[in-house]
């Protein structure tokens, strides 16, 4: 009897094993090829250059030296790109995250008009970020003419004036960047136990107190996810720069994502090694920041209590 | 006396709270309006002639000059001529419907493969115990948070070596992995579902596939459908993947991008370009109208603890 049971268990284990292999074989293989091998190839590329016969040759640390030289040179595009990428992340963290949470809280409370708001906020994703960007570009181009005609106000061309282009690019990123969070945050807030909220309200808790003392602590893990993954994105996102300026972006709007995309797609294979070295350099800089922030946020996470 | 002071304090806090929420409400209204204005502006200006657009970019079209013809013009002119096909060694012209077909195949394929791969990975990791479970979960989280930058060149090289570059079908089959944001989202949702349904089904003789497809898949359907629609819309509007990896199969988004970029040399007017934008946005807007009820209410996200 025991033998039969053992044989049955063994058969069931085999069936389960085969089932799991059938589920995980594709994702694991995909991961090995397009994450592990691509990253390994990128690391190898960082130590190679393309010679004039279009052959890849080992070049030691020359790509890293070139990246470091450009990184230290205030006149080089790379330094501007780094500076802008960091600036974008910090400004969006300080401005965009608090606003997102406040907006999401108002949506969660279900005040009049919030359904329409949630739909409108999705517009950049629905009609395409590309269309939004290109319409925005034409809209901003047309503005000086309109302002001069209507109010006699003379303003520079915001899309080409070096003093305003960065602001335009940042404004666009912030302006169109609420869609994803507006889908996630209000739903996460809806998952909070209604009894906690109701008893707090009965005790005279105001909306702001409710947000600060109940809602924020309860959605803290979601907040952590957005903040931490935001770091991994800030060096790779080209933002709206390619969309608005194509391959001819003015220097003040360059960021690391755009810099890399342009070098690969426009300038070609001769830059592959430099860009791969730059990628490793970025990873080297941002890993301690990412894990430091993750550890800090997990330490202060009120849901741990 | 103390009670009165306390009540006054609560009252003051309530007023402050109401003022802050009211201010946020006003900011939200202005923000929403700012997103609607460019869309209305696009629709109005797509009905002007070039002169009217230049002289009067923020008003309605002049009387008698409502250029409805911009729409058929844009539809006809949305063409990419002489696209080299590396597999058939021919030059092919893609018109609106040709690019629409590419968009549909690309968006449906990418959305289906992406959501399915992430669902089966999340299902296996969240519902079964096996030796590498923790490793797979931690790898999924790590790939989300470790910044990987500058691998575009290597990615192009690997795809060219494997014959995936510029091949729509192979790209769809290989581009979607099991990890990423959706994996975490699905993992958390599956974790919240009780395994007792499966145990009851196993007692009745059901197999692992039956449990996954007939019990958990239907329960997860609202979330999966939302992710599918979002992914579909994202892929429909994705021109940069086509530009980077699939240059010989232009989709509608790429076609509109190309139309905009070549407007000056091909003498398309700005209103005609805006009409082309509308042609691209119509299918996804319709899909959004149909699916928005599910999309707005089914997605939540948890933390990153490994």
């Amino acid at each position: 009897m025991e033998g039969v049971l053992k044989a049955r268990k063994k058969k069931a284990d085999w069936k389960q094993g085969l089932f799991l292999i059938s589920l995980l074989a594709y994702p694991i293989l995909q991961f090995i090829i397009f994450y592990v091998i691509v990253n390994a190839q990128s690391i190898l590329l960082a130590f190679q250059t393309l010679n004039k016969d279009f052959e890849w040759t080992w070049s030691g640390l020359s790509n890293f030296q070139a990246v470091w030289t450009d990184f230290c040179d205030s006149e080089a595009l790379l330094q501007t790109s780094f500076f802008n990428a960091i600036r974008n992340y910090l400004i969006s963290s300080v401005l965009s995250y608090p606003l997102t949470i406040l907006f999401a809280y108002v949506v969660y409370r279900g005040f009049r008009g919030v359904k329409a708001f949630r739909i409108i906020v999705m517009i950049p994703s629905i009609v395409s970020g590309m269309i939004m960007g290109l319409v925005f570009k034409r809209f901003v181009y047309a503005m000086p003419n309109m302002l001069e005609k209507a109010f006699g106000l003379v303003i520079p061309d915001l899309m080409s004036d070096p003093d305003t282009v960065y602001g335009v690019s940042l404004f666009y990123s912030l302006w169109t960047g609420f869609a994803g969070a507006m889908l996630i945050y209000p739903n996460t807030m809806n998952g909070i136990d209604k009894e906690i909220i109701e008893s707090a309200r009965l005790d005279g808790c105001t909306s702001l107190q409710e947000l600060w003392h109940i809602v924020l602590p309860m959605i803290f893990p979601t907040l952590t996810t957005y903040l931490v993954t935001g770091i991994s994105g800030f060096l790779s996102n080209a933002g709206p720069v390619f969309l608005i300026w194509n391959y001819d972006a003015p220097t003040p709007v360059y960021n690391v994502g755009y810099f890399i995309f342009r070098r690969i797609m426009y300038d070609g294979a001769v830059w592959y090694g430099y860009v791969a070295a730059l990628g490793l350099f970025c990873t080297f800089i941002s890993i301690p920041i990412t894990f430091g922030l993750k550890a800090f946020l997990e330490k202060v996470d009120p849901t741990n209590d | 006396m103390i009670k009165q002071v306390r009540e006054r304090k609560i009252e003051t806090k309530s007023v402050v709270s109401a003022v802050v929420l009211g201010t946020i409400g006003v900011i939200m209204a202005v923000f929403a309006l700012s997103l609607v204005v460019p869309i209305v502006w696009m629709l109005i200006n797509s009905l002007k002639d070039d002169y009217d657009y230049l002289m009067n970019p923020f008003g309605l079209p002049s009387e008698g000059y409502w250029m409805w013809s911009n729409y058929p013009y844009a539809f006809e002119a949305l063409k990419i001529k002489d696209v080299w096909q590396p597999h058939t060694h021919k030059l092919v012209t893609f018109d609106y419907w040709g690019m629409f077909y590419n968009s549909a195949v690309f968006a449906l394929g990418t959305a289906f493969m992406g959501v399915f791969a992430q669902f089966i990975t999340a299902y296996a990791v969240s519902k079964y115990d096996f030796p590498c479970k923790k490793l797979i979960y931690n790898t999924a989280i790590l790939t989300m948070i470790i910044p990987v930058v500058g691998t575009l060149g290597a990615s192009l090289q690997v795809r060219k070596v494997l014959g995936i570059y510029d091949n729509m079908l192979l790209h769809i089959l290989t581009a979607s992995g099991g990890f990423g944001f959706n994996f975490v989202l699905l993992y958390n949702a599956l974790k919240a579902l009780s395994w007792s349904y499966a145990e009851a089904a196993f007692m009745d003789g059901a197999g692992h596939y039956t449990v996954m497809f007939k019990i958990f898949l239907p329960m997860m359907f609202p979330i999966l459908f939302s992710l599918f629609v979002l992914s579909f819309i994202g892929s429909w509007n994705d021109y940069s993947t086509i530009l980077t990896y699939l240059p010989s199969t232009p989709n509608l988004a790429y076609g509109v991008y190309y139309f905009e970029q070549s407007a000056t040399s091909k003498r398309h007017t700005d209103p005609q370009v805006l009409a082309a934008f509308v042609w691209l946005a119509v299918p996804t807007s319709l899909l959004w109208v149909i699916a928005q009820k599910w999309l707005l209410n089914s997605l939540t996200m948890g933390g990153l603890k490994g």
Side-chain angles (χ1 to χ4, degrees):
Chain A
M1 184 65 183
E2 203 177 301
V4 175
L5 282 175
K6 263 189 184 173
R8 266 192 199 165
K9 171 132 187 14
K10 211 173 179 186
K11 197 179 167 192
D13 286 348
W14 262 101
K15 272 189 179 172
Q16 183 176 312
L18 285 175
F19 170 72
L20 288 173
I21 288 169
S22 73
L23 292 193
L24 293 172
Y26 167 76
I28 289 174
L29 189 68
Q30 199 275 350
F31 174 76
I32 289 171
I33 296 173
F34 295 102
Y35 191 88
V36 180
I37 294 180
V38 164
N39 276 292
Q41 172 64 10
S42 192
I43 291 169
L44 294 177
L45 269 179
F47 298 95
Q48 296 175 65
T49 45
L50 197 63
N51 67 18
K52 57 182 183 219
D53 299 320
F54 288 97
E55 286 164 348
W56 290 100
T57 51
W58 296 102
S59 58
L61 295 172
S62 66
N63 287 324
F64 291 95
Q65 281 166 345
V67 168
W68 182 249
T69 307
D70 288 348
F71 182 71
C72 297
D73 181 0
S74 61
E75 298 289 309
L77 266 179
L78 185 62
Q79 199 184 73
T80 309
S81 304
F82 256 99
F83 180 63
N84 282 345
I86 294 167
R87 202 157 50 148
N88 288 348
Y89 179 72
L90 291 177
I91 294 174
S92 68
S93 298
V94 170
L95 268 179
S96 175
Y97 284 110
L99 262 185
T100 305
I101 290 165
L102 285 167
F103 286 1
Y105 179 68
V106 172
V107 171
Y108 158 71
R109 289 294 301 272
F111 294 123
R112 191 180 292 173
V114 293
K115 272 189 186 167
F117 176 79
R118 273 184 105 183
I119 293 170
I120 291 169
V121 167
M122 291 301 292
I123 284 177
S125 305
I126 304 162
V127 302
S128 147
M130 180 185 75
I131 291 180
M132 210 64 191
L134 295 175
V135 170
F136 174 79
K137 179 169 89 173
R138 286 178 149 68
F139 192 82
V140 175
Y141 268 131
M143 251 171 48
N145 186 18
M146 184 274 286
L147 288 175
E148 194 176 354
K149 270 187 184 171
F151 308 108
L153 204 67
V154 179
I155 60 163
D157 176 4
L158 301 173
M159 303 291 282
S160 57
D161 188 316
D163 294 333
T164 57
V165 277
Y166 175 75
V168 170
S169 145
L170 181 68
F171 171 81
Y172 181 83
S173 298
L174 294 175
W175 181 58
T176 54
F178 285 87
M182 244 349 102
L183 275 182
I184 301 286
Y185 280 125
N187 292 342
T188 310
M189 290 176 184
N190 271 326
I192 298 171
D193 192 343
K194 297 276 181 290
E195 282 181 16
I196 301 174
I197 301 281
E198 274 164 23
S199 64
R201 283 180 195 163
L202 283 173
D203 287 344
C205 181
T206 65
S207 296
L208 287 183
Q209 286 171 325
E210 179 184 305
L211 172 64
W212 186 251
H213 295 292
I214 302 172
V215 175
L216 260 184
M218 298 294 244
I219 63 158
F220 203 81
T222 309
L223 204 65
T224 303
T225 304
Y226 268 92
L227 279 167
V228 173
T229 53
I231 293 186
S232 75
F234 88 96
L235 286 171
S236 54
N237 288 344
V241 180
F242 179 72
L243 190 59
I244 296 175
W245 289 279
N246 207 16
Y247 291 116
D248 306 313
T251 307
V253 300
Y254 262 69
N255 57 43
V256 179
Y258 177 75
F259 179 88
I260 287 173
F261 187 75
R262 193 186 186 284
R263 286 285 181 247
I264 298 288
M265 297 302 294
Y266 189 76
D267 300 324
V270 75
W271 282 89
Y272 283 13
Y274 178 95
V275 165
L278 171 61
L280 285 177
F281 181 72
C282 290
T283 305
F284 184 71
I285 289 176
S286 49
I287 275 186
I289 304 172
T290 307
F291 283 93
L293 180 69
K294 184 172 179 283
F296 170 74
L297 290 171
E298 281 177 359
K299 200 175 176 188
V300 299
D301 186 346
T303 56
N304 285 335
D305 300 335
Chain B
M1 180 68 181
I2 293 171
K3 198 182 169 192
Q4 272 180 336
V5 171
R6 210 177 149 195
E7 273 174 4
R8 203 172 292 161
K9 261 189 181 174
I10 290 173
E11 216 169 85
T12 314
K13 277 182 183 173
S14 299
V15 171
V16 170
S17 182
V19 168
V20 172
L21 281 188
T23 311
I24 297 298
V26 172
I27 294 172
M28 286 168 76
V30 172
F31 173 62
L33 192 69
S34 77
L35 285 170
V36 173
V37 166
I39 300 300
V40 175
W41 183 83
M42 171 181 79
L43 291 170
I44 291 173
N45 280 285
S46 69
L47 294 168
K48 289 178 181 171
D49 67 13
D50 206 25
Y51 180 78
D52 205 7
Y53 171 79
L54 286 171
M55 300 312 291
N56 172 34
F58 289 92
L60 287 171
S62 304
E63 217 177 310
Y65 288 95
W66 287 70
M67 299 293 288
W68 294 101
S69 58
N70 285 338
Y71 281 87
Y73 175 88
F75 186 86
E76 281 300 315
L78 257 174
K79 251 181 211 150
I80 303 185
K81 286 182 180 167
D82 299 336
V83 181
W84 175 249
Q85 299 299 296
H87 308 293
T88 55
H89 299 282
K90 281 179 185 165
L91 292 171
V92 173
T93 296
F94 288 90
D95 61 3
Y96 181 88
W97 290 115
M99 291 187 282
F100 187 98
Y101 173 79
N102 286 342
S103 288
V105 172
F106 180 66
L108 280 172
T110 309
F112 177 78
M113 284 301 294
V115 174
F116 186 70
Q118 281 151 352
F119 171 70
I120 57 173
T121 314
Y123 181 76
V125 178
S126 65
K127 292 295 175 201
Y128 286 87
D129 277 323
F130 54 94
C132 299
K133 175 187 162 115
K134 193 91 180 152
L135 176 72
I136 294 177
Y137 180 77
N138 285 334
T139 306
I141 299 295
L142 277 179
T143 54
M144 266 175 77
I145 58 179
I146 289 183
V148 174
V149 186
T151 57
L152 183 57
S155 174
L156 281 166
Q157 283 184 326
V158 169
R159 280 163 202 276
K160 280 178 184 170
V161 167
L162 295 175
I164 296 166
Y165 178 77
D166 214 5
N167 185 319
M168 172 80 88
L169 187 66
L170 288 179
H171 181 90
I172 289 169
L173 288 174
T174 55
S176 310
F179 301 149
F181 254 101
N182 291 354
F183 167 82
V184 178
L185 204 140
L186 291 168
Y187 176 88
N188 290 332
L190 280 161
K191 264 279 185 215
L193 295 177
S194 168
W195 189 238
S196 57
Y197 300 109
E199 282 166 349
F202 287 137
M203 298 273 270
D204 289 342
H208 295 284
Y209 289 105
T210 312
V211 169
M212 184 175 85
F213 284 115
K214 293 201 170 165
I215 297 176
F216 285 96
L217 191 69
M219 284 200 278
M220 292 289 289
F221 187 76
I223 299 178
L224 292 172
F225 180 69
S226 300
L227 292 177
F228 176 82
V229 172
L230 286 177
S231 174
F232 179 90
I233 291 174
S235 301
W236 183 274
N237 293 328
D238 181 5
Y239 70 101
S240 62
T241 300
I242 303 294
L243 180 73
T244 312
Y245 296 115
L246 299 165
S248 70
T249 38
N251 65 355
L252 211 45
Y254 180 80
V256 171
Y257 165 77
Y258 177 81
F259 188 80
E260 201 268 348
Q261 293 297 319
S262 58
T264 313
S265 63
K266 299 215 167 147
R267 298 188 181 180
H268 306 310
T269 64
D270 275 7
Q272 287 162 350
V273 172
L274 294 172
F277 292 170
V278 177
W279 279 119
L280 172 66
V282 166
T284 48
S285 304
L286 286 176
L287 183 64
W288 173 261
V289 170
I290 296 163
Q292 52 99 3
K293 192 181 122 193
W294 289 285
L295 292 174
L296 290 180
N297 298 316
S298 57
L299 303 177
T300 59
M301 166 72 73
L304 291 169
K305 283 179 188 166

